[in-house]
Amino acid sequence: MFGTAFEPAPPGVGAIVVGSFPLAAGQWTHEHYHPQHQLAWTRSGVLGVAVGEAHWIVPPTRALWLPAGVAHKTGASRDAVLCSLYFEPDRCAVSWSEPTAIRVDGLLAHLIVHLAQQQLPDDQRLRAEAVVLDLLQPLPATPIDLPRAVDERVRAVTQALLDNPADARSMEAHARAIGVSRRTLTRLFVQDTGMSFDRWRTHARLQAALALLADGQPVSRVAHTVGYATASAFLAAFRRTVGTSPRRYLGADSRPRP
C-alpha cells in the first residue's frame, strides 16, 4: 500500500464498530486503508469515495462497502458526517472482495444510529449487529471511472472539463488551447487515460451530475448544468454509460429516515 496510511478503527466489543467523522463541503481525507471491512454512510449530505480511478457517489440512500485493505479517499460535496461501520473480518460472514454499493433503508439507517451509541449494552449491541448483517443487500451499480492524466497537456484538458463539465468546446478547440494538433491530442488522450476524449468528458459530466442529483436538484437543471441540452439526452447518456437510471443508481426509491 505504498503512499497510503494505515487508519485503525475505534475499539469495540462486537464484530461491528461505528465511528463518526465530520466532513466539511469539499473536504477529502488522505488516501488510507483499514484492516477491517468498512461500510461508509452519511445521514445527510453526499459523500464521494475514490478507490483508485473509480469514483462512487454515496447519498443517504446507499452506503459503500470497502473490503479490508482497500486504499480509498472520502470526501463530501456539502457538510456531512461520515458514519463508518468497521467489521472484523474473522467475525463477519460478508466477504465481498470489491467495493460494493449497499441499499440503506429506514431499518438499516436506524440500526447504524443505534450501534453508534457509546453506552449500548453488549447484549443489545450483538443482537443489532446480527440484524445489520442480514440487511446488507448489494445494489447493481458500478462506479464512474475517471482515469487521472499524467501528461501535462492532457491534464490541462481534463482539469478544464472537471472545472466546467458543461464546457462545450470541441476536441480541436481544446487542442488549440494547449498548442497541439487534434490528432496529437487524440493520441495523447487515449495513451494517457485509456479513454477517448468524448468518453472521458461523458464520465466527468455524469460524476458531477450524480453529486447534484443526490443533493436533490431536478434532472432538467442538472442536465443543463453539466452540459446536456435536454434532460432526455442526459438520461440516455447515463443509461448508456452506467446501465441504469440515475434514480435507480442512487436508490432514491427507498430514502431512509432515521
Side-chain angles (χ1 to χ4, degrees), residues 4 6-7 20 47 88 100 102 107 133 139 176 188 192 223:
T4 63
F6 166 77
E7 291 287 340
S20 295
L47 298 177
E88 291 295 342
T100 302
I102 302 297
L107 178 55
L133 292 170
L139 287 167
R176 284 198 302 270
L188 288 173
D192 203 28

Side-chain angles (χ1 to χ4, degrees), residues 154 171 185-197:
V154 179
M171 188 175 195
L185 182 56
T186 299
R187 174 177 55 80
L188 288 173
F189 222 99
V190 174
Q191 181 178 298
D192 203 28
T193 70
M195 289 184 177
S196 68
F197 168 84

